[in-house]
Amino acid sequence: MDTVVLLGNGGREHALAVALSKSPLVGKIICLPGNGGTQSEGGGKICNATNDMLLDSGSTTTSAPLTTMDNATVIQLVQAVQANMVVVGPEQPLVDGVVDELAKHCPNVKVFGPTMAGAQLEASKVSDINFIFT
């Protein structure tokens, strides 16, 4: 069964996590950073990302929530948990190029979301105007 990393912490991401958890193909959904709702979902399929997911199994560091969605943290988490898929909820990680970076560093991982160039069309009216009129 697949492990999915879901980026975001809003109600949309909570709904996506619940919908993904209903698939028999999905074994685990790790929300980064997630929220109180995703943390409290029953069934054991949905959890929020914690720093111990990035550490060696022999570490004695206390578990704490991961709160950043920068590209380096996302790549490190995806590699550490051996995720098969990443679903990006919010716009900012897309604009920051998380899809492009995952394609470089984790080429076998499926990613749901547009590339940085595609995301910038949505995020920036200036990009829209330049795209349309050039």
Side-chain angles (χ1 to χ4, degrees):
M1 288 207 269
D2 286 350
T3 297
V4 177
V5 171
L6 174 61
L7 302 184
N9 62 353
R12 170 185 354 172
E13 290 79 28
H14 186 170
L16 284 168
V18 170
L20 286 166
S21 74
K22 294 178 181 178
S23 171
L25 301 175
V26 175
K28 187 170 195 173
I29 300 115
I30 301 170
C31 302
L32 175 64
N35 59 40
T38 52
Q39 185 61 39
S40 65
E41 279 296 329
K45 271 189 158 181
I46 303 171
C47 68
N48 289 348
T50 57
N51 66 333
D52 61 339
M53 292 176 179
L54 303 179
L55 303 172
D56 294 330
S57 59
S59 175
T60 58
T61 304
T62 304
S63 179
L66 281 177
T67 56
T68 60
M69 287 188 291
D70 62 88
N71 292 346
T73 301
V74 172
I75 290 165
Q76 188 179 5
L77 179 64
V78 167
Q79 291 173 338
V81 301
Q82 299 179 340
N84 308 89
M85 183 176 190
V86 176
V87 176
V88 186
E91 188 175 300
Q92 193 58 53
L94 297 169
V95 172
D96 292 342
V98 72
V99 172
D100 304 74
E101 291 300 310
L102 283 164
K104 280 190 243 176
H105 298 283
C106 308
N108 295 326
V109 175
K110 298 174 201 91
V111 184
F112 183 79
T115 63
M116 183 166 56
Q120 286 176 342
L121 285 175
E122 173 64 20
S124 169
K125 299 304 176 211
V126 173
S127 293
D128 290 349
I129 290 168
N130 289 337
F131 177 77
I132 293 168
F133 293 107
T134 55

